[in-house]
Amino acid sequence: MPNYKLLYFNMRGRAEIIRYIFAYLDIKYEDHRIEQADWPKIKPNLAGKTELEQCQVDAVVDTLDDFMSLFPWAEENQDLKERTFNDLLTRQAPHLLKDLDTYLGDKEWFIGNYVTWADFYWDICSTTLLVLKPDLLGIYPRLVSLRNKVQAIPAISAWILKRPQTKL
């Protein structure tokens, strides 16, 4: 039986729905509450150091997420699914990639001079897209370089080596 630990601020907030579900399902868990002042010691800041950078991280992640959400992953009509995937990968993805490449510019990371979860999310999304269309990043060496930098982070590299091998 797994041991669950819910880490949240000392309030109801967004965690309260999880507490309700645990209670309803009679699931034992540790309700670990922290004070807001202790948060920076517990959670590394991967979301941007300033409010502007946080907005920029959100914009990159939301842009990627919006695009990835266009794919009809669960579509049962294989002809429709194939046509839609093909359209997204050949007609729409180049616009997204051009915009992301322009936004990255000569920077090492999408936001600031340090890694954020936007860079992680880019690597995850692009890995999936490359499974679907291996030549997709052919003309975007800066985006490939960003992928390589993320995958070279020791903890990320170790995870990639040990994660279960799946197509997507």
Side-chain angles (χ1 to χ4, degrees), residues 60-74 84-85 88-89 92-93 96-97 100 121-132 136 168:
V60 170
V61 169
D62 289 347
T63 298
L64 287 165
D65 199 48
D66 287 348
F67 182 73
M68 297 303 287
S69 296
L70 294 173
F71 287 86
W73 303 103
T84 305
F85 270 63
L88 289 168
L89 292 166
Q92 295 187 41
L96 170 72
L97 297 173
L100 289 171
Y121 200 58
W122 159 246
D123 181 58
I124 292 164
C125 292
S126 61
T127 297
T128 298
L129 293 172
L130 287 169
V131 168
L132 301 171
L136 191 64
L168 298 175

Side-chain angles (χ1 to χ4, degrees), residues 5-105:
K5 180 177 181 178
L6 178 60
L7 178 68
Y8 197 72
F9 300 109
N10 190 19
M11 64 174 73
R12 287 184 309 277
R14 292 178 184 257
E16 194 66 8
I17 186 66
I18 298 167
R19 294 182 187 109
Y20 272 38
I21 292 168
F22 280 158
Y24 179 79
L25 297 173
D26 194 29
I27 295 174
K28 305 291 184 237
Y29 70 100
E30 181 183 338
D31 190 9
H32 185 75
R33 295 178 182 229
I34 62 166
E35 297 303 320
Q36 198 141 12
D38 295 330
W39 185 240
K41 292 180 243 166
I42 295 168
K43 180 184 180 252
N45 187 355
L46 292 171
K49 293 179 182 174
T50 66
E51 286 186 19
L52 176 60
E53 287 181 351
Q54 290 168 9
C55 290
Q56 292 168 325
V57 168
D58 287 347
V60 170
V61 169
D62 289 347
T63 298
L64 287 165
D65 199 48
D66 287 348
F67 182 73
M68 297 303 287
S69 296
L70 294 173
F71 287 86
W73 303 103
E75 176 60 54
E76 292 182 13
N77 179 328
Q78 290 304 308
D79 288 338
L80 176 60
K81 185 174 184 175
E82 188 175 315
R83 281 194 315 272
T84 305
F85 270 63
N86 186 52
D87 179 64
L88 289 168
L89 292 166
T90 60
R91 295 173 41 118
Q92 295 187 41
H95 299 291
L96 170 72
L97 297 173
K98 182 177 183 287
D99 290 346
L100 289 171
D101 186 65
T102 299
Y103 185 77
L104 178 61

Side-chain angles (χ1 to χ4, degrees), residues 96-165:
L96 170 72
L97 297 173
K98 182 177 183 287
D99 290 346
L100 289 171
D101 186 65
T102 299
Y103 185 77
L104 178 61
D106 293 328
K107 301 186 307 267
E108 291 187 53
W109 307 101
F110 272 129
I111 287 73
N113 58 356
Y114 58 94
V115 68
T116 65
W117 78 284
D119 304 301
F120 293 166
Y121 200 58
W122 159 246
D123 181 58
I124 292 164
C125 292
S126 61
T127 297
T128 298
L129 293 172
L130 287 169
V131 168
L132 301 171
K133 189 169 180 357
D135 64 344
L136 191 64
L137 297 180
I139 62 170
Y140 299 103
R142 293 185 299 208
L143 293 175
V144 171
S145 178
L146 178 57
R147 281 176 42 81
N148 293 339
K149 284 183 56 118
V150 168
Q151 292 179 14
I153 296 170
I156 302 300
S157 177
W159 166 248
I160 290 171
L161 288 173
K162 74 177 184 179
R163 71 181 173 198
Q165 296 299 309

